[in-house]
Amino acid sequence: MEKEKTLFDVIGPVIIGPSSSHTAGAVRIGLLAGKIFGQCPKRVCFRLFNSFAKTGKGHGTDKGLLGGVMGFDVDDERIKKSFEIAKKLNLDYSFEYLENHNRHPNSVDIVMQKTGMKDMQVSGVSLGAGEVAVTKINGYNFNINGDYDTLVLIYKDKPGMVYRVTALLQSHNINIASMHCDRNARGQEASMGICVDGAVSEDIIKELEKIEEVYLIRNVEVLKK
Amino acid sequence: MTKLREFKDIYELAAQKGKKLYELCQEYEAQNLEISVAQVREKVKTNLDAMKEAIRNGLTSKEMSMSGLCGDDCAKLLEKYKNDGSRLFSKTYQNVLLYALATVEQNLRMGKIVACPTAGSCGIVPAVIIAVSEAKETDEEAQINALITAGLVGKIVSNKLALAGAVAGCQSECGVAAAMAAAALVEIYEGDNEQILNAAALCLKNVMGLVCDPVAGLVEVPCVKRNAFLAIYAVTGAELAMAGIKSVIPIDEIVDAMVQVGEMMSPKLKESAEAGLATTKTGLQITEELTAKWNRNSGE
């Protein structure tokens, strides 16, 4: 479903330039990736594809992505100084520039690492006008665009998991706006992305964490738009 | 809630209720966003303030963009006006040009701007609203009314035409911005709803087919100067409409035509830098130099 535009899609958003797709979109993908990783990583590698790779330098796509991973929003004037700030934080960053026409023109893979945490790869696309989507997390298909609070789960593929998660949400009277599941192989690992109306509290996350054989759980909060 | 898809829908509703377009628009947005009209106006004011801040910052900077292609045009024009006593054109005209350049140059140096409707066309609406408001001493409430009017025009156009150079060329970015600014200016002039829509229509007709052919794919050449040119387009549209001059073709039909033209436009002329200015001899040379420069120091 296409959502209705608001006045503030046309007079706004307030962003750091120069490009809504290549700068603000890049910030938002970085921001979502950082939230999904859960912490500021120690090392991050960005693989930029196609137009992101070709024109990214001149649009500050690199600074935007890195700033986003560090938690800067689209109107944060620190984005321009992302490289300096990352160096101060001892955050190692690198960029690779690739061409692959099976990929969206504005896409990026973000590999994040930190001691004591599993490496994570988040793929995102910038769709234009600052709209973005996270399309993959560690290879699983997702569609996270920051319009809703979104629960991200990776867990053992076995019967009843969807039920347990959704029953818990239902018991807290949380409405599900949309939901997407994926898995790598039967009986192995599976993933769930659940967009909900309203916010998911810390308590609910703690309860969800009690479900055995859930390997990863994150509440990716709605982006400020 | 009535769905306001076309200009004629909102024009008729406004006529029925005896309201200005901005009044209907703010009520509609309040309902849609589930906030009060006062909150809608507060959000608009925040963006208006951000526009003024971008102009202030842009007027005092000469910092070049990351490519080094643009960034000091506003400073050059400011210098010219400082030393030019002739004043053939008014101070307001000069300010429209200066504010458009100031804003769009803030954008390319990674400053904070308001996309209006897009980042590459961010100079047009603020330049017109703010330069004229200063000259007329228009109060803030009336400036907010003007900005809402601009937003309404952009939003209704966007129901049919994607506001993205990559989809429909520059007619849908700077072109639509000019129509938005023209409508805003008529609101500042206290023109009626019909004049507002005529001002927007006259602008749209004259930007139809404008391509997006940026050198090296960057929001710089020709985007920076185009903001100044199209801000003056907007003024022209508002002036004509205030004289009672009408667009022979109704605005909704013009938008349909722009969609058609956008679909017929070659993908090479839609932000992909594969034709037009981007592939002129000089355009290609710049692209080559920038590619070499950036390959040398990636990640720096």
Side-chain angles (χ1 to χ4, degrees):
Chain A
M1 284 289 291
E2 203 181 331
K3 58 177 181 177
E4 179 168 348
K5 288 200 184 61
T6 84
L7 190 64
F8 302 101
D9 292 321
V10 187
I11 44 172
V14 179
I15 58 165
I16 299 301
S19 163
S20 52
S21 58
H22 285 62
T23 323
V27 175
R28 283 190 173 141
I29 295 172
L31 204 52
L32 287 172
K35 286 182 179 187
I36 295 164
F37 190 61
Q39 290 187 38
C40 190
K42 174 76 184 74
R43 188 173 299 120
V44 58
C45 174
F46 301 93
R47 292 195 194 105
L48 284 72
F49 291 91
N50 308 330
S51 173
F52 255 20
K54 255 174 34 194
T55 68
K57 276 257 146 220
H59 285 127
T61 306
D62 42 12
K63 293 174 186 166
L65 287 165
L66 183 61
V69 167
M70 292 190 290
F72 304 164
D73 210 335
V74 289
D75 60 350
D76 193 322
E77 286 172 298
R78 289 176 297 177
I79 289 166
K80 195 173 172 178
K81 298 198 157 55
S82 288
F83 294 157
E84 290 95 312
I85 296 169
K87 279 174 191 144
K88 269 189 202 145
L89 293 173
N90 276 324
L91 164 57
D92 296 332
Y93 60 87
S94 59
F95 296 91
E96 289 173 25
Y97 301 93
L98 305 159
E99 207 169 296
N100 178 350
H101 291 286
N102 294 320
R103 298 289 298 262
H104 184 277
N106 295 328
S107 53
V108 59
D109 292 343
I110 306 176
V111 181
M112 291 165 286
Q113 297 173 309
K114 187 172 185 176
T115 317
M117 293 179 74
K118 273 184 91 172
D119 294 1
M120 180 181 277
Q121 177 170 320
V122 172
S123 304
V125 293
S126 178
L127 303 165
E131 296 293 317
V132 301
V134 162
T135 53
K136 278 185 192 291
I137 302 170
N138 290 345
Y140 296 105
N141 290 311
F142 279 88
N143 183 16
I144 303 170
N145 52 30
D147 286 338
Y148 295 93
D149 274 23
T150 305
L151 280 172
V152 170
L153 292 102
I154 295 177
Y155 52 94
K156 182 164 173 68
D157 184 50
K158 62 179 184 181
M161 292 300 262
V162 171
Y163 167 76
R164 293 185 67 178
V165 172
T166 54
L168 186 67
L169 292 177
Q170 190 259 330
S171 73
H172 289 274
N173 199 28
I174 290 175
N175 189 41
I176 294 174
S178 68
M179 180 165 176
H180 186 268
C181 297
D182 193 19
R183 70 174 182 191
N184 61 0
R186 186 171 178 173
Q188 304 249 319
E189 262 185 30
S191 68
M192 232 186 280
I194 308 175
C195 296
V196 300
D197 292 327
V200 179
S201 68
E202 281 287 321
D203 292 346
I204 299 173
I205 299 290
K206 285 206 179 98
E207 282 184 63
L208 286 167
E209 278 170 348
K210 285 185 197 145
I211 301 173
E212 62 278 9
E213 295 183 290
V214 170
Y215 308 129
L216 175 99
I217 175 156
R218 292 282 185 271
N219 175 29
V220 184
E221 285 162 18
V222 64
L223 292 178
K224 192 183 84 189
K225 282 191 182 173
Chain B
M1 193 162 45
T2 332
K3 189 105 173 112
L4 303 171
R5 181 167 166 79
E6 290 202 308
F7 284 102
K8 75 169 171 10
D9 301 331
I10 191 155
Y11 180 78
E12 282 165 11
L13 193 64
Q16 248 174 48
K17 297 193 169 185
K19 287 188 173 172
K20 289 301 293 280
L21 292 178
Y22 80 83
E23 293 176 286
L24 266 189
C25 180
Q26 66 191 15
E27 286 165 20
Y28 184 85
E29 292 300 319
Q31 219 177 334
N32 195 21
L33 295 166
E34 298 173 6
I35 55 179
S36 69
V37 167
Q39 285 170 312
V40 170
R41 292 182 67 84
E42 191 52 40
K43 278 168 80 102
V44 174
K45 179 184 148 39
T46 306
N47 289 4
L48 181 66
D49 289 343
M51 288 173 169
K52 291 176 181 171
E53 190 192 330
I55 290 174
R56 273 198 305 277
N57 292 335
L59 284 172
T60 53
S61 177
K62 282 188 203 176
E63 185 189 330
M64 301 302 279
S65 63
M66 290 164 281
S67 71
L69 285 174
C70 296
D72 58 357
D73 293 335
C74 181
K76 281 180 190 156
L77 195 60
L78 204 54
E79 194 57 31
K80 177 201 182 297
Y81 287 149
K82 219 189 285 172
N83 301 321
D84 180 4
S86 68
R87 293 267 188 273
L88 266 178
F89 289 96
S90 74
K91 181 83 186 154
T92 312
Y93 172 89
Q94 297 178 353
N95 282 345
V96 169
L97 296 182
L98 286 169
Y99 294 178
L101 291 177
T103 306
V104 78
E105 287 186 345
Q106 270 308 97
N107 181 55
L108 58 79
R109 58 174 77 100
M110 295 193 85
K112 189 159 75 174
I113 54 95
V114 184
C116 192
T118 60
S121 59
C122 66
I124 298 164
V125 172
V128 172
I129 292 182
I130 294 161
V132 176
S133 294
E134 282 174 3
K136 276 179 62 71
E137 296 180 11
T138 307
D139 68 30
E140 191 174 60
E141 291 306 313
Q143 293 175 41
I144 292 170
N145 298 345
L147 190 48
I148 295 172
T149 307
L152 171 74
V153 166
K155 188 180 139 160
I156 301 288
V157 172
S158 79
N159 284 339
K160 291 179 183 171
L161 181 74
L163 305 185
V167 180
C170 193
Q171 58 169 0
S172 71
E173 295 207 20
C174 288
V176 171
M180 291 166 64
L185 186 48
V186 173
E187 178 54 42
I188 292 175
Y189 287 160
E190 297 175 18
D192 62 25
N193 290 346
E194 194 182 356
Q195 288 167 320
I196 289 171
L197 295 188
N198 272 305
L202 292 170
C203 281
L204 290 180
K205 275 199 300 193
N206 285 287
V207 296
M208 192 169 308
L210 196 60
V211 300
C212 179
D213 54 352
V215 170
L218 302 176
V219 196
E220 298 190 42
V221 180
C223 324
V224 170
K225 289 137 192 135
R226 182 164 293 165
N227 272 257
F229 276 90
L230 287 191
I232 296 303
Y233 251 61
V235 175
T236 310
E239 290 287 322
L240 298 191
M242 286 306 290
I245 297 173
K246 288 177 187 166
S247 170
V248 172
I249 310 295
I251 187 165
D252 287 313
E253 294 178 35
I254 299 170
V255 177
D256 291 337
M258 289 173 80
V259 173
Q260 180 196 44
V261 168
E263 283 167 0
M264 292 167 83
M265 200 182 279
S266 164
K268 293 185 175 181
L269 292 166
K270 293 179 185 173
E271 213 179 281
S272 60
E274 293 172 297
L277 295 174
T279 55
T280 54
K281 192 175 144 210
T282 305
L284 288 172
Q285 199 183 325
I286 292 170
T287 309
E288 207 174 296
E289 284 164 14
L290 288 175
T291 309
K293 174 176 135 184
W294 284 329
N295 281 345
R296 276 198 305 276
N297 51 24
S298 61
E300 286 303 312

